[in-house]
């Protein structure tokens, strides 16, 4: 899940940078419309990355709860320990 969220965030960041660059260079009505579509697509990718972040946090929380339910791990035995 971590890799999915990380990948989604990176793709979202790159898409946003491209969209803003297009928006800043747009002069004609069609260029502005195209840039606005790119900005909307980048925003949709932001939303996907946010959902993946929530899923990641929920997965980690579940895993921590499962681990806590099992109690502390027993201490490892020391081989060759002198008494």
């Amino acid at each position: 899940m971590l890799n999915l969220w990380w990948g989604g965030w990176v793709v979202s960041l790159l898409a946003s940078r491209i969209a803003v660059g297009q928006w800043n260079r747009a002069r004609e009505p069609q260029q502005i419309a195209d840039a606005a579509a790119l900005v909307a697509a980048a925003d949709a990718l932001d939303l996907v990355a946010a959902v993946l972040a929530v899923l990641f946090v929920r997965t980690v929380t579940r895993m921590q709860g499962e681990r806590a339910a099992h109690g502390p791990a027993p201490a490892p035995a020391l081989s060759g320990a002198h008494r």
Side-chain angles (χ1 to χ4, degrees), residues 23-53:
W23 180 263
N24 289 337
R25 287 188 297 276
R27 298 291 177 248
E28 301 297 320
Q30 187 59 48
Q31 292 173 328
I32 293 170
D34 292 344
L38 284 175
V39 169
D43 288 347
L45 290 173
D46 283 341
L47 182 60
V48 170
V51 168
L52 290 171

